Structure formats: structure tokens, C-alpha cells
Amino acid sequence: MIRRDFIAHTPDEIDRIRAAAQAAAQAREQIADLVQPGMTTRQLDEMAGAVIHALGGTPTFLGYGGFPRNICISVNDVVVHGIANDRTVIQPGDLISVDVGVTLHGGIGDTAKTVIAGGVSVSKAIERLMAGTQSALEAGIRAARGGFHVRDISAAVEKEANAHKLGIVRDLVGHGCGVKLHEPPEVPNFVTRNPGPKLVPGMVLCIEPMLNLGTGKVYVEPDQWTVRTADGKASAHFEHMVLITENQPEVLTRVF
């Protein structure tokens, strides 16, 4: 059933989406484990492409709207949509966000996480950023229950972000996903006047807090993709795909 403001997927579509999401989750974890100081982001992207293909999928982002790489790799103050290149060498302590899309059997998986390169100790501020962003994601997932509204997810994410004193990016939002990478509805990380659609079984949402140590304001580089924090402070990004059910939400991109 398709409506203007959301998509409730059929059982067959959900089976395909679930398979793609699980492949994306496995790819995310494998790619995150490959992050090492001294490698370039281009090298990491090439390995990411090999991982996705080995799992039987294809990189969803490659060519999407003209995006030139297999995945998005965002370093430190890059919020999202970082383009891998041969100039950026990963340093110990860098925050590396890997945003992974996998197309498999007509379904799409989309998921992200941020890791600390080299496993080194970081500042209390960075620890707060990482913990707060993950906590905001989990709060949003808990609010993704049938009968609630999109705004309930937004409110839960915003509350956690504020509790950790983090800047909320307002220029970018989560979204529906399933047989297309971006489907309705939008899922903001902040409360809006519009409650958004009521959550019903069959909806699949990407909940993805994008939170900053400083301001929530961002700008887009001339490449028209790379989004950076306006004040140059660090950003973190975590994303899960969630299937709305009659009861507890099913997180499709957890690794089981």
C-alpha cells in the first residue's frame, strides 16, 4: 500500500529489505574493522566495495545522484557524504563515519556508524559525542512503535542530544528506505510542528542522529556532497533501519 506521506511495504518486499539490511549491517561491521591509521580513505572505500560484493550485494551509493564512491566516509568534522580520496590519510584518533548502502535482491539496506581510528584514547568531549549519538539512536528506536508518530521518534532523539549537550544537525534528516534508498517519510532528529505520519506495520525507517560537539549548523563543500560542521568541531553519525510492527520495532541492521 502506497500513500503520499509514507510507504507500508508488502511481506515480499519486507523479506527482500530484511536481507539487504542484514547484508548492509555485516558490511558496516567488516568495513569498520578495516579502519586503520595510515590508510587513505580511498583505500578504505575500495575495500568497502569488495566487502559489499563479497556479501552478494552492490554498493547502493555508487552513482546515486552522481555520487562517485562505494560508501560515504566522513572524517572528524565531516558530518555525512564524505567522498573518499587519495589525499586524506587516516590518523590515530580520527573519527571515521562509515555510511553503507547495499542493494540485494531488489531490497536496500542503509546503515552507518562512527569509529575511532586506532582504538586510541580520546578526549572526554569526544567520548560524550560518541556516547550521546548512540544513546540518541537507541532512544529513537524505542519510540518507533506502531500507533506512535514520526514526531515521537524526533522528540526522543532530540531529548538525548540535548541531555548530552550536542548540536543537532537540522539540514539533514532520516528517511524511509526499502525498495528505494530514499522513501517517505522524513525522520527529523528534532521536533517539528508537523507530527508526521502515524507509524503503521510495514513502514521501514532509517533513524540516523547526526550530532556535533559544537553548533548544529553545517555547510556543503563545492563538491556538492561533503557536509561539514560550520565551526570545524567533530561530528558523529549512527544509523539503523527499523521495521515498524504491531509491537516492538524490529531493527533490521543489527548483526545477529
Side-chain angles (χ1 to χ4, degrees):
M1 178 179 68
I2 299 178
R3 289 176 37 154
R4 182 177 58 84
D5 54 354
F6 72 89
I7 296 176
H9 291 282
T10 67
D12 175 68
E13 289 173 336
I14 290 170
D15 285 344
R16 290 186 279 122
I17 295 165
R18 187 180 280 116
Q22 191 55 210
Q26 294 187 36
R28 179 197 66 222
E29 295 304 306
Q30 291 182 36
I31 294 164
D33 287 345
L34 291 170
V35 173
Q36 293 292 335
M39 67 168 48
T40 66
T41 53
R42 183 62 178 270
Q43 288 173 321
L44 180 61
D45 181 77
E46 290 173 351
M47 288 188 284
V51 166
I52 292 170
H53 285 291
L55 289 166
T58 57
T60 306
F61 301 161
L62 182 61
Y64 182 81
F67 190 77
R69 299 290 183 262
N70 293 301
I71 67 170
C72 299
I73 303 174
S74 303
V75 181
N76 294 329
D77 64 322
V78 177
V79 181
V80 288
H81 303 162
I83 299 175
N85 59 71
D86 294 317
R87 304 179 307 280
T88 303
V89 178
I90 296 172
Q91 304 297 321
D94 278 349
L95 292 190
I96 309 296
S97 295
V98 292
D99 191 353
V100 180
V102 175
T103 301
L104 179 69
H105 304 319
I108 291 176
D110 183 12
T111 183
K113 74 181 297 184
T114 302
V115 298
I116 300 168
V120 300
S121 297
V122 293
S123 68
K124 294 294 184 181
I126 294 297
E127 289 180 355
R128 173 167 54 87
L129 172 65
M130 293 285 282
T133 308
Q134 292 176 79
S135 179
L137 173 57
E138 294 302 325
I141 291 170
R142 289 193 296 272
R145 298 176 61 91
F148 287 24
H149 288 79
V150 166
R151 187 164 61 185
D152 293 304
I153 299 173
S154 302
V157 172
E158 183 178 55
K159 181 178 180 181
E160 282 298 304
N162 289 338
H164 287 82
K165 300 180 180 179
L166 298 174
I168 302 171
V169 175
R170 292 174 175 262
D171 292 1
L172 302 157
V173 297
H175 54 92
C177 184
V179 295
K180 294 182 180 179
L181 178 58
H182 292 103
E183 299 174 349
E186 292 188 341
V187 185
N189 294 311
F190 50 91
V191 174
T192 66
R193 292 183 180 179
N194 183 353
K198 187 176 182 178
L199 304 180
V200 301
M203 293 173 69
V204 179
L205 305 177
C206 286
I207 302 174
E208 51 178 320
M210 292 159 276
L211 304 180
N212 305 338
L213 266 184
T215 179
K217 294 181 179 179
V218 299
Y219 69 94
V220 182
E221 289 195 343
D223 62 23
Q224 298 301 306
W225 284 105
T226 307
V227 179
R228 289 186 182 272
T229 60
D231 58 7
K233 293 185 178 180
S235 182
H237 177 211
F238 289 85
E239 176 183 16
H240 272 311
M241 286 178 71
V242 176
L243 171 66
I244 305 301
T245 73
E246 295 283 359
N247 299 300
Q248 296 288 340
E250 179 184 346
V251 183
L252 301 177
T253 45
R254 292 207 200 277
V255 174
F256 299 106

